[in-house]
């Protein structure tokens, strides 16, 4: 249980965080995306795209960061939290974990101030994020922003139903499917084609999708893609050893470990899904950890410097 002073401060802190975010909104606009061919994708967005939130500005003091997390984590799990507040709360949670993952010394200090209830949650988040950071360690940060559209995801209740139905049909845990969906496209927010030609919310190569018994329906449809991912993990040996199945999905031990950290977080604490579902798309660039909000629509790679001149609100505060 959190110390009495932290428990009493929690609702006050949440109100302050939400009020501060509302006061700090920075305009980010995007061009109108092209019409989506899949009936499951949302209709085109009308410009200008003006997020009602700003890039989260976090405190510097470890104790203050810990106090934020101690307020955010229960709020994201509480049925009493107003639904409209969840995106801002989850985004703050996400940015805290992304920041701590790159600063082990700060992370250790924050953990020391954090109530025991949330220390294991912190550990899972940081372990997962660090695996994915390590996959790209040593290479230069991207000097261009990607050729993606960022679109709203399917409703959370729909995604949970797809994961669980696919799990019931195949035996692959729903938490693994949710973690893959999160890691690959932010639960369907990224609408784009990878450098390897993978596409859709579960990032299938068309050749893999075309394999007998794998792809059925539309590669860009969330329900079809989640079921196909479950079938593919079975084919790659996931029922015998889920690590083997995930290795077939991405030939990297770090990828496997990162996905399984998120899956284990959901297995131990299914309510953690709410925070993960509301996470935004961030892109690790030469200019820092850019936020690409819903409405981002870049048909081809663009220099980061050019993009930020047009959309400065995507840059971290204080850049």
């Amino acid at each position: 249980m959190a110390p009495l002073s932290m428990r009493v401060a929690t609702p006050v802190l949440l109100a302050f965080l939400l009020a501060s975010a509302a006061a700090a909104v920075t305009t980010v606009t995007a061009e109108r995306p092209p019409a989506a061919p899949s009936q499951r994708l949302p209709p085109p967005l009308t410009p200008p795209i003006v997020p009602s939130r700003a890039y989260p500005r976090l405190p510097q003091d470890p104790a203050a960061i810990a106090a934020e997390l101690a307020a955010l984590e229960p709020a994201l799990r509480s049925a009493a939290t107003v639904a409209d507040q969840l995106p801002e709360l989850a985004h703050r949670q996400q940015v805290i974990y992304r920041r701590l993952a790159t600063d082990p010394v700060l992370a250790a200090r924050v953990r020391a101030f954090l109530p025991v209830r949330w220390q294991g949650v912190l550990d899972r988040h940081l372990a997962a994020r660090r695996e994915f950071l390590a996959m790209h360690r040593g290479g230069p940060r991207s000097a261009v922003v990607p050729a993606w559209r960022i679109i709203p995801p399917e409703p959370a209740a729909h995604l949970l139903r797809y994961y669980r139905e696919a799990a019931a049909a195949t035996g692959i845990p729903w938490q693994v499917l949710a973690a893959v969906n999160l890691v690959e496209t932010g639960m369907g927010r990224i609408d784009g084609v990878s450098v390897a030609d993978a596409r859709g919310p579960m990032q299938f190569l068309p050749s893999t999708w075309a394999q007998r018994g794998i792809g059925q329906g539309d590669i860009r449809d969330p329900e079809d893609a989640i079921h196909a991912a479950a079938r593919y993990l079975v084919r790659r040996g996931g029922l015998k050893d889920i690590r083997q199945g995930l290795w077939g999905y991405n030939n990297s031990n770090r990828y496997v470990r990162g996905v399984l950290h998120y899956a284990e977080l959901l297995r131990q604490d299914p309510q953690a899904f709410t925070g993960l579902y509301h996470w935004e798309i961030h892109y690790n660039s030469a200019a820092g950890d850019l936020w690409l909000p819903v409405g981002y629509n870049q048909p081809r790679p663009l220099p980061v410097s050019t993009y930020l001149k047009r959309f400065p609100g995507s840059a971290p505060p204080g850049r």
Side-chain angles (χ1 to χ4, degrees), residues 88-121:
E88 169 63 21
L89 298 178
H91 198 192
R92 297 191 70 83
Q93 176 206 43
Q94 178 187 16
V95 171
I96 287 173
Y97 286 134
R98 291 179 72 90
R99 176 179 170 187
L100 296 183
T102 64
D103 190 338
V105 174
L106 178 61
R109 296 180 66 192
V110 170
R111 190 182 192 280
F113 286 106
L114 200 61
V116 173
R117 165 68 179 88
W118 305 116
Q119 289 179 355
V121 172

Side-chain angles (χ1 to χ4, degrees), residues 35-83:
S38 172
Q39 292 182 351
R40 285 299 184 112
L41 293 177
L45 298 163
T46 302
I49 303 303
V50 183
S52 59
R53 298 180 286 110
Y55 196 122
R57 183 179 295 274
L58 303 179
Q60 301 298 314
D61 179 67
I65 296 173
E68 275 209 33
L69 277 179
L72 292 168
E73 293 292 355
L76 286 166
R77 291 162 172 78
S78 173
T81 302
V82 178

